[in-house]
Amino acid sequence: MTTPMNTINNRLPIGVFDSGVGGLTVLRALRELLPGEDFRYLGDTARLPYGTKSRESVVRYALQSSRHLVAQGVKLLVVACNTATAAALPDLAEAYPGIPVVGVVRPGAKAGCALNTNGRIAVVATESTVQGGAYQAAIRELCPNMRIEAAACSLFVALAEEGWTEGPLVEGIVKRYLDPLFARFDDQPPTSLVLGCTHFPMLAGAIAKVAGEEVTVIDSAVTTAQEVRELLVRHGLGHPEPDRLDAKTYFFATDGRERFARVGSIFLKRAIDPAEVTIVDL
């Protein structure tokens, strides 16, 4: 049965899910932009990474993760995973027609186009996201004449999870990825660079430093949070006390409570006690 959006209780939390901890960069951006909102975050850590799974499996996992959040009561769903966004967004929208569903791909592509000044966009992501072409397709839909080049930057994930986000070593690795990517544009470098993985905002400072002042780095976590805020306003779903100080965030994982808390603390930039993480079986 469809629930009209105007009947959703605006005091309900926002549901966010990912295959692991990368989506916590999205949660962090959401908490900064919407401090009065409650959140429920689910990391499907038992089955990560989604990028190596078939589309059918990713859709099934996404529906199971979202079902857990919806069953608890949420007013909006955020798919804080590039693979799940690319594979399952239409299925999620169909499954929950009364709840707004936001993915991470289109907001990043939209900002990449809007902030571009020379018709050239670069995308950095994981190998599966680059090969799947979700960002390329979204950018072409929004700005058909844009020149797009994408590169898989697999080491960025490991660096982010280790908390190695700045310094000469990190900048050297970033340069090894960006130099050949930018060289593909031949005549002039891109003026916008989209971070197409939720881990990559952790390295945004180093990436921006290597890319140079002429390149605008698009943080897909921030752009997704902005999209969520716009949807809340459009549908009248914002919390009636947006400046309250007692907003709460609840964490769920499908495996590895201690690792989720340890690595998640790096991504969220605030300590997560393992006792805050509830293990669930989807």
Side-chain angles (χ1 to χ4, degrees):
M1 181 176 177
T2 301
T3 302
M5 291 183 190
N6 60 7
T7 66
I8 298 175
N9 183 349
N10 59 1
R11 292 181 179 272
L12 288 174
I14 294 170
V16 185
F17 75 89
D18 180 31
S19 60
V21 298
L24 288 170
T25 60
V26 179
L27 178 63
R28 187 177 79 239
L30 285 163
R31 283 162 49 109
E32 290 174 356
L33 197 62
L34 302 164
E37 297 290 348
D38 294 320
F39 295 94
R40 293 181 182 273
Y41 181 94
L42 170 62
D44 189 10
T45 44
R47 299 186 291 201
L48 60 80
Y50 282 3
T52 60
K53 309 299 191 297
S54 68
R55 180 189 177 279
E56 291 74 18
S57 292
V58 173
V59 170
R60 184 169 71 254
Y61 298 165
L63 288 170
Q64 290 170 342
S65 295
S66 61
R67 192 176 301 126
H68 173 82
L69 295 171
V70 170
Q72 296 187 51
V74 295
K75 61 185 177 183
L76 185 146
L77 272 173
V78 180
V79 188
C81 171
N82 286 276
T83 301
T85 296
L89 204 62
D91 300 85
L92 292 166
E94 182 179 353
Y96 311 110
I99 300 175
V101 181
V102 180
V104 290
V105 173
R106 188 173 176 84
K110 184 178 177 181
C113 289
L115 297 173
N116 190 273
T117 60
N118 71 345
R120 292 160 179 79
I121 288 182
V123 178
V124 290
T126 60
E127 186 172 354
S128 62
T129 299
V130 170
Q131 291 181 346
Y135 276 94
Q136 297 93 313
I139 291 168
R140 288 192 187 98
E141 180 183 343
L142 293 164
C143 36
N145 297 321
M146 192 71 68
R147 168 79 183 276
I148 311 161
E149 294 289 349
C153 303
S154 303
L155 282 179
F156 288 3
V157 173
L159 290 172
E161 293 198 354
E162 289 295 335
W164 298 350
T165 60
E166 56 187 356
L169 172 63
V170 175
E171 290 169 17
I173 294 171
V174 171
K175 185 174 175 60
R176 287 289 296 269
Y177 280 120
L178 293 193
D179 281 356
L181 172 61
F182 283 18
R184 290 189 226 158
F185 289 92
D186 299 326
D187 53 344
Q188 54 181 303
T191 54
S192 53
L193 171 62
V194 179
L195 305 183
C197 171
T198 53
H199 280 66
F200 292 6
M202 296 293 295
L203 308 176
I207 293 170
K209 186 174 180 179
V210 172
E213 294 180 358
E214 301 80 10
V215 181
T216 300
V217 175
I218 310 299
D219 182 339
S220 55
V222 171
T223 57
T224 300
Q226 292 167 342
E227 181 87 357
V228 169
R229 180 174 61 180
E230 291 172 10
L231 275 173
L232 292 177
V233 171
R234 188 183 313 154
H235 295 297
L237 293 176
H239 197 283
E241 303 171 54
D243 299 319
R244 68 196 181 108
L245 301 177
D246 60 344
K248 296 179 174 60
T249 298
Y250 297 90
F251 300 100
F252 303 89
T254 52
D255 192 33
R257 176 185 287 110
E258 287 74 19
R259 175 174 170 77
F260 180 95
R262 176 173 58 81
V263 180
S265 297
I266 299 171
F267 281 67
L268 197 58
K269 294 189 176 179
R270 76 99 159 147
I272 300 174
D273 189 316
E276 293 182 74
V277 183
T278 300
I279 298 298
V280 297
D281 184 1
L282 301 180

